[in-house]
Amino acid sequence: MSILFAFDCDHTLINEDSDVAVAKLGAQPLPPEIVALCDGHYWTDYMNAVFRHLHAQKVDLDAIADRISEIQLVNGMAELISSLTRQQKAHTIVISDANDFGISRILTQLIGDEEASTIPLLTNGSYITESGCLQIAPYHWQKECVFCPPNLCKGNALSLYVQEHGPFDSIVYIGDGKNDICPATRLSKTDIVFARTGFDLERIILAGERNGIKVKVEANVKFWSDGFDILQRNDLFNKTE
């Protein structure tokens, strides 16, 4: 049985928001004009301004990579993802509004370079300017989804991935945040959504609405606190052997 495991990153693989952690690296606080960009709608513009601000203060790529590598991993996620990479019929991807510079380093912390390089990342791409400044490019541009920012609709990214790489017998989505409700609503009764206990995704599913918009999740909903909660689902993992 072929199962697609799709993971969010921040507060799912790690216990912080990686972009927020990096934004605090500079000796000088973010100026008001950069803070004003942090409205949740144009996150890539905000982070590019943050990276330029850090670059001007001589915060180099190594310092950014080191800060990301220092972030505490969610307990049990290393064991969970490592187990999935050894399962012949398990396919693992990461869908995140962070960026591939940070996520690739987080995955390396979790499972090592070799295994990390095999996991597709559906996220904002990164590039380095001639002066050595880190910048990111939107994964895509969209205006249709009311739950996701313009630079990445997680539900759309997931659906396109399934169209191109499926079919899969089942999809398992693991996340925590507000925009994780978008892919959750795209799943069917044969799929599973793991919503992290105490975070926004759990609250939205239980309330059945986000910002006054009704949401319906047809997939089986399970709650989790750490990776071991998911790893202990023997009924799920027996299907991928």
Side-chain angles (χ1 to χ4, degrees):
M1 186 174 186
S2 177
I3 300 181
L4 175 65
F5 289 82
F7 289 81
D8 175 44
C9 181
D10 295 338
H11 295 292
T12 295
L13 300 180
I14 57 175
N15 273 321
E16 287 186 56
D17 184 311
S18 55
D19 285 339
V20 172
V22 167
K24 297 177 181 178
L25 277 174
Q28 300 175 13
L30 296 176
E33 59 268 24
I34 294 181
V35 175
L37 295 173
C38 186
D39 61 359
H41 295 292
Y42 296 95
W43 190 253
T44 50
D45 290 346
Y46 167 69
M47 285 308 302
N48 282 335
V50 168
F51 291 136
R52 290 191 295 269
H53 177 72
L54 295 176
H55 184 65
Q57 296 182 70
K58 309 300 182 184
V59 177
D60 60 16
L61 296 175
D62 287 340
I64 294 173
D66 288 345
R67 178 64 187 93
I68 292 170
S69 298
E70 291 170 359
I71 297 175
Q72 182 187 48
L73 305 174
V74 171
N75 193 33
M77 278 298 168
E79 291 82 355
L80 173 58
I81 296 183
S82 182
S83 174
L84 290 175
T85 60
R86 297 193 299 269
Q87 301 288 334
Q88 185 176 4
K89 296 183 180 180
H91 302 262
T92 304
I93 63 174
V94 174
I95 308 178
S96 170
D97 196 19
N99 59 80
D100 59 3
F101 181 89
I103 297 172
S104 61
R105 283 155 180 80
I106 291 165
L107 286 173
T108 295
Q109 288 293 109
L110 284 163
I111 56 177
D113 278 325
E114 185 173 350
E115 289 184 329
S117 65
T118 67
I119 297 179
L121 307 180
L122 282 59
T123 188
N124 305 302
S126 62
Y127 63 96
I128 311 301
T129 67
E130 290 184 2
S131 65
C133 179
L134 177 64
Q135 295 284 267
I136 57 177
Y139 179 78
H140 60 204
W141 282 112
Q142 64 86 28
K143 296 181 180 179
E144 295 78 18
C145 181
V146 297
F147 296 126
C148 296
N151 60 285
L152 173 60
C153 171
K154 287 188 171 184
N156 180 260
L158 177 61
S159 296
L160 289 177
Y161 186 87
V162 171
Q163 289 178 20
E164 294 174 4
H165 301 278
F168 300 98
D169 295 301
S170 182
I171 300 172
V172 177
Y173 189 89
I174 302 101
D176 69 278
K178 294 178 181 178
N179 60 0
D180 290 319
I181 192 60
C182 177
T185 59
R186 306 280 185 114
L187 303 182
S188 69
K189 294 179 180 179
T190 62
D191 304 321
I192 300 175
V193 174
F194 280 97
R196 194 173 186 189
T197 300
F199 286 78
D200 285 329
L201 180 59
E202 177 195 39
R203 288 190 282 269
I204 292 169
I205 290 175
L206 293 177
E209 63 90 20
R210 179 187 169 188
N211 295 338
I213 301 174
K214 292 183 178 181
V215 297
K216 183 179 180 181
V217 178
E218 293 187 354
N220 296 295
V221 177
K222 308 294 181 183
F223 301 107
W224 67 282
S225 294
D226 62 29
F228 291 118
D229 292 337
I230 304 168
L231 188 59
Q232 291 169 359
R233 287 290 303 271
N234 292 329
D235 60 324
L236 182 61
F237 284 87
N238 287 342
K239 298 177 182 178
T240 60
E241 292 180 348

